[in-house]
Amino acid sequence: MKLFLPQKFLEDWSVSEKADLQDGKLIVREGGPSTHPAAPAVHFVRLVSGDDEHSLVGRVKTSEQLASLGAEHMADSVILGEAAYEVVEGYVTEVQAAAKPEAKKKAANPEADLLAAFILDKL
């Protein structure tokens, strides 16, 4: 399961020593240490001008995906062709999703559950 984490959340977590980003990895200290790969990304919030020909509003794209599209990213904006977007900077991390529960038996993935609970508690 992929999760987008806004930069503001990561800064708050880092200050409170609950989580940190080091060497492209999200390190969550709360609930037992766990490490997850993280890549720079942006969440497309709204179209400022032009046409949303690539249907990006509401989507998340990594820096690599932006480069492959030929988009220019600066601070809280992205320019792609004639379109200008407002974006939120952050990171994409991936955690292993817990398997679907079987009848009266729940398959647990404690690391994913802890990260999901941590993120939901902070939103």
Side-chain angles (χ1 to χ4, degrees), residues 92-110:
V92 170
T93 188
E94 192 164 347
V95 295
Q96 186 178 11
K100 291 184 180 181
E102 296 176 24
K104 296 186 179 183
K105 182 178 178 183
K106 183 178 180 181
N109 182 336

Side-chain angles (χ1 to χ4, degrees), residues 27-100:
I27 301 167
V28 180
R29 295 185 180 99
E30 201 167 275
S34 62
T35 304
H36 307 278
V42 296
H43 175 246
F44 286 80
V45 177
R46 69 184 184 99
L47 181 67
V48 177
S49 68
D51 295 318
D52 188 16
E53 295 176 9
H54 296 278
S55 301
L56 294 173
V57 174
R59 302 183 104 195
V60 173
K61 295 290 181 187
T62 65
S63 296
E64 289 178 357
Q65 290 170 322
L66 292 176
S68 70
L69 287 170
E72 296 178 40
H73 171 222
M74 182 177 282
D76 65 349
S77 63
V78 168
I79 307 290
L80 178 57
E82 299 295 318
Y85 298 89
E86 179 182 330
V87 297
V88 173
E89 294 181 292
Y91 290 84
V92 170
T93 188
E94 192 164 347
V95 295
Q96 186 178 11
K100 291 184 180 181

Side-chain angles (χ1 to χ4, degrees), residues 2-35:
K2 289 186 179 183
L3 302 171
F4 175 74
L5 304 171
Q7 181 68 36
K8 171 78 171 108
F9 287 4
L10 291 173
E11 289 170 3
D12 291 346
W13 295 345
S14 181
V15 167
S16 63
E17 297 182 1
K18 294 179 180 178
D20 200 6
L21 190 66
Q22 296 176 356
D23 301 321
K25 294 179 183 172
L26 174 67
I27 301 167
V28 180
R29 295 185 180 99
E30 201 167 275
S34 62
T35 304

